[in-house]
Amino acid sequence: MSVLSAATRAEVERHRDRYPQARSAVLPSLWALQNQIGHVSPEGMREVSEILGLAPSEVEAVASFYAMYLDRPGGRHHVLVCVNVSCGLRGADDIVAHLERRLGCPSGGTSADGEFTWEHTVECLGACGGAPAMQVDHHFHENLTPERVDAVLEAVRAPSARAGGDRS
Amino acid sequence: MAEHRLLTEHFGMEGIQTLAGYERAGGYQGLRRALRELTPDDLVAQVKASGLRGRGGAGFPTGTKWSFLPGDVHPRYLCVNADESEPGCFKDRALIEGDPHQLIEGTLIAAYAIQAPIAFIYIRGEYFDQRLLLERCVEEARAAGYIGRGILGSDFSCDVIVHGGAGAYICGEETALLDSLEGRRGQPRLKPPFPAVKGLYGQPTVVNNVETLSNLPHIVLRGGSWYASLGTEKSKGTRLFCCSGHIERPGTYEMLLGTPIRELLEEECGGVWKGRRLKAFQPGGGSMQVLLPEHLDLPLDMEAVAQAGSALGAGAMVFMDETTCMVNVSMRLVDFYHHESCGKCSPCREGTYFESDLMHRLERGVLAPEELTTLSDICDNMNGKCFCPLGDTATWFVMSAYAAFRDEFEAHCGAGRCPVREPRAAEAVA
Ligand SMILES: Cc1cc2nc3c(=O)[nH]c(=O)nc-3n(C[C@H](O)[C@H](O)[C@H](O)COP(=O)(O)O)c2cc1C
């Protein structure tokens, strides 16, 4: 059985045909794969490579270079906390300590209920004007305090409020 | 003097993220004028006359860069650098969120100037909502005839493709960006050949920053000499400064170049927070050398800041108050470069590893005093000896901080803890 759904397969084909060279479609195709199954699996990458006319190793070598492609399944939501300088100067370490307590696992881990995989990163997220900041499922949340972190996690956990970031 | 709003004039305006809103604000008139009244050569001449310099960090004159393309080689490509990942930098995000069609209009003007049939906007993976916004705006512009075949009835055709990255600072370096866009690991290429000669798919290519391109509609509408009347002798126009750290009002502020840094800090940013004193600041993002309170009277001018031993770089100002531990700040930056080193050359790959190890031990207060010499030696063996500037800049802040705050670095050696940060703050890190 194939990993890629018909829709994902069509998306990869669309990317392949969009660029002057099919190889350029590797990054967007890996995103399509990850958006469907939550990470980039070897089987999924093999299917992507077939569509793009590349060797599987060529796609895997690219995937392993970029920090945002996840090589294994994680929690239902992904939390990324910045600890670079601007966030560090405004209390990112407190946010990190709070998340570790709240989710009961160290950075890189997944909460016992399977809801959240979280990690801190030195990669500046580009939210220094709203430091300290984090992203949940790629949406920005800024000017964090431990209380705000709790509110964001609760809102994300509730299925009705799953979309959209905010920076208030 | 307050902010000088040119690129940010329409920020916050109702509907500005839509084509209709942008057109209401006078949008796409620059593109219209360029296509109707200017030849590509005229346009290059206007941009040269404007004195516009790249806003991606290096400050290279934009018109001059365009004129390096060999005359007879086609197709050429335009790549918009929206990889913005410099620590402290968030202006390109502000420009994308605040006036997305301004960037698309600037992109099309540049594509016309260099006669590129495709422009790629390479946006960092973390800017996920921003990518979706740009994709929506591109489709709107396409439907209105600003993108595609025979734009606005002219014989110029151009497609715009928004391309998402996936988490790699090095992909902001222009040749690594090209490799990434070609579907490879994002590692820098040997220069020469420069992208203008052999870039994307081996074809002549221009890579320009988001802010650089956002200036173009204004230059086309008001003329190169008008633009050249703004700013200082060599730093023309305005720039968006991303202000963060220990200040009352963090954010992006668009300033006329030449304005004193003190004015930016005291009037726009509301000064150092909590009534504290400034200890140090970084004027150009994580890569640039530390400056001190005595440098606050410097003008926002590339040459003046360079003379003081640092650089305006990508326009990110990080302010640090008197309670800041410079070792801790240096450690975070060194960790960043260690994490982001692409692994291609050994001085950077190995050097950042050793730097990071030494800085962590120094921050915990368990480094032996003589190991500070090792730190200097390692940085000496990196700076100027790496394949690309990433490895060089991995040494600049830490070495400048060590020079300016030597006592503080030495006081950490063997102290068993950070002697600077308040105990509570130090515990939170441990
Ligand atoms: C490690 C590294 C990272 C860079 N990151 C960026 C970036 O995120 N955005 C950018 O515009 N330029 C970045 N640059 C500069 C680009 O190489 C290039 O000079 C710039 O995009 C040219 O555009 P401009 O002439 O309009 O400034 C980076 C350079 C280096 C060495």
Side-chain angles (χ1 to χ4, degrees):
Chain A
M1 232 194 51
S2 87
V3 175
L4 301 187
S5 66
T8 306
R9 183 169 288 276
E11 189 183 338
V12 172
E13 287 168 353
R14 214 167 45 243
H15 291 310
R16 176 196 61 196
D17 300 338
R18 183 90 205 275
Y19 292 88
Q21 291 184 10
R23 187 189 293 271
S24 280
V26 171
L27 265 67
S29 300
L30 286 167
W31 275 120
L33 169 62
Q34 180 157 307
N35 289 342
Q36 186 200 319
I37 68 170
H39 67 291
V40 290
S41 65
E43 306 74 42
M45 287 193 277
R46 194 170 39 71
E47 290 177 27
V48 165
S49 70
E50 278 163 15
I51 300 173
L52 300 184
L54 300 170
S57 59
E58 293 179 284
V59 173
E60 286 167 17
V62 172
S64 64
F65 182 82
Y66 296 91
M68 293 180 77
Y69 296 127
L70 307 174
D71 61 359
R72 73 200 76 171
R76 228 146 52 83
H77 304 286
H78 194 255
V79 180
L80 193 61
V81 189
C82 176
V83 295
N84 205 305
V85 173
S86 299
C87 284
L89 291 173
R90 295 180 82 100
D93 293 338
D94 296 340
I95 301 301
V96 164
H98 180 74
L99 273 166
E100 187 163 340
R101 269 197 309 274
R102 174 63 67 199
L103 299 178
C105 57
S107 173
T110 301
S111 59
D113 60 5
E115 282 288 311
F116 296 101
T117 295
W118 81 281
E119 59 184 316
H120 59 69
T121 178
V122 284
E123 197 161 342
C124 172
L125 294 178
C128 325
M134 67 177 180
Q135 286 197 327
V136 180
D137 300 335
H138 304 310
H139 304 300
F140 279 107
H141 298 277
E142 305 185 2
N143 299 307
L144 297 176
T145 58
E147 298 72 40
R148 252 193 83 61
V149 169
D150 287 347
V152 169
L153 296 186
E154 273 321 302
V156 167
R157 207 191 281 273
S160 60
R162 201 152 280 158
D166 77 282
R167 50 186 61 93
S168 56
Chain B
M1 207 168 47
E3 265 198 284
H4 189 100
R5 291 179 152 233
L6 179 64
L7 307 192
T8 58
E9 186 187 347
H10 300 128
F11 277 28
M13 185 183 276
E14 176 80 26
I16 195 64
Q17 289 186 340
T18 67
L19 179 64
Y22 184 62
E23 284 177 329
R24 265 200 308 280
Y28 287 106
Q29 292 304 325
L31 176 65
R32 200 175 292 273
R33 165 131 204 253
L35 292 175
R36 297 225 170 120
E37 299 172 25
L38 302 175
T39 65
D41 286 346
D42 292 340
L43 200 46
V44 174
Q46 284 290 321
V47 172
K48 273 191 183 165
S50 75
L52 175 66
R53 293 167 64 179
R55 306 305 199 217
F60 196 84
T62 307
T64 308
K65 182 188 275 192
W66 293 356
S67 65
F68 287 156
L69 294 178
D72 45 354
V73 189
H74 292 273
R76 290 111 170 244
Y77 296 108
L78 174 67
C79 295
V80 181
N81 194 339
D83 193 55
E84 182 164 77
S85 312
E86 180 71 25
C89 207
F90 48 102
K91 71 189 174 66
D92 296 339
R93 177 181 158 203
L95 284 164
I96 291 165
E97 292 175 347
D99 203 345
H101 279 287
Q102 174 176 255
L103 169 62
I104 294 170
E105 184 178 3
T107 299
L108 290 163
I109 292 170
Y112 173 64
I114 66 163
Q115 292 289 294
I118 309 181
F120 298 89
I121 303 181
Y122 186 105
I123 181 166
R124 68 180 295 194
E126 291 82 357
Y127 287 179
F128 179 84
D129 289 323
Q130 293 71 14
R131 174 167 62 79
L132 297 184
L133 171 64
L134 278 178
E135 283 174 353
R136 185 173 59 64
C137 291
V138 163
E139 290 320 312
E140 273 185 314
R142 189 191 309 282
Y146 294 118
I147 294 174
R149 304 217 134 267
I151 296 173
L152 298 176
S154 72
D155 56 10
F156 175 62
S157 301
C158 184
D159 192 11
V160 176
I161 297 180
V162 181
H163 186 94
Y169 166 67
I170 187 61
C171 291
E173 193 283 328
E174 56 185 8
T175 62
L177 182 151
L178 297 176
D179 261 36
S180 180
L181 191 47
E182 288 183 3
R184 303 172 200 280
R185 297 162 76 88
Q187 293 185 318
R189 300 176 180 175
L190 196 61
K191 294 192 268 193
F194 288 91
V197 176
K198 260 192 186 334
L200 190 65
Y201 311 125
Q203 295 298 115
T205 301
V206 165
V207 182
N208 272 138
N209 172 258
V210 166
E211 184 181 357
T212 311
L213 296 175
S214 295
N215 276 287
L216 297 177
H218 306 280
I219 291 175
V220 169
L221 282 177
R222 299 168 78 171
S225 50
W226 159 78
Y227 193 87
S229 72
L230 306 173
T232 68
E233 193 196 337
K234 291 192 175 156
S235 295
K236 300 298 187 191
T238 64
R239 283 190 69 169
L240 268 67
F241 290 96
C242 313
C243 301
S244 67
H246 293 152
I247 49 180
E248 287 291 344
R249 290 191 296 274
T252 48
Y253 300 99
E254 183 175 9
M255 308 297 287
L256 207 52
L257 289 169
T259 308
I261 298 175
R262 184 184 299 283
E263 214 171 286
L264 174 63
L265 170 62
E266 289 174 4
E267 285 167 37
E268 306 305 329
C269 304
V272 179
W273 73 350
K274 302 178 181 177
R276 291 186 188 154
R277 279 198 312 261
L278 184 70
K279 177 167 181 174
F281 68 104
Q282 215 178 2
S287 297
M288 300 310 166
Q289 292 87 345
V290 72
L291 290 181
L292 303 171
E294 71 211 48
H295 296 116
L296 280 179
D297 292 312
L298 285 172
L300 292 164
D301 169 271
M302 290 176 228
E303 276 65 34
V305 175
Q307 251 172 32
S310 189
L312 275 192
M317 298 258 168
V318 185
F319 294 99
M320 304 163 210
D321 76 17
E322 56 195 319
T323 68
T324 310
C325 171
M326 301 312 289
V327 168
N328 184 278
V329 170
S330 304
M331 176 187 77
R332 286 178 203 269
L333 286 172
V334 162
D335 275 352
F336 171 76
Y337 292 100
H338 178 218
H339 185 260
E340 298 303 328
S341 177
C342 79
K344 179 159 181 154
C345 75
S346 30
C348 175
R349 184 185 62 240
E350 305 301 318
T352 53
Y353 168 84
F354 284 110
E355 267 189 288
S356 176
D357 172 61
L358 289 162
M359 287 309 298
H360 273 265
R361 288 193 284 129
L362 181 64
E363 207 270 344
R364 291 203 312 275
V366 296
L367 196 74
E370 57 279 12
E371 287 180 288
L372 280 176
T373 318
T374 314
L375 180 65
S376 300
D377 286 349
I378 284 170
C379 289
D380 275 351
N381 282 314
M382 294 169 68
N383 192 15
K385 300 175 181 75
C386 293
F387 190 85
C388 89
L390 190 149
D392 303 334
T393 55
T395 67
W396 291 359
F397 184 87
V398 59
M399 280 297 103
S400 65
Y402 182 35
F405 298 95
R406 207 179 181 92
D407 294 350
E408 202 169 306
F409 276 63
E410 285 169 355
H412 277 74
C413 291
R417 56 178 282 271
C418 171
V420 178
R421 298 203 333 154
E422 302 157 33
R424 196 199 63 83
E427 269 162 34
V429 196

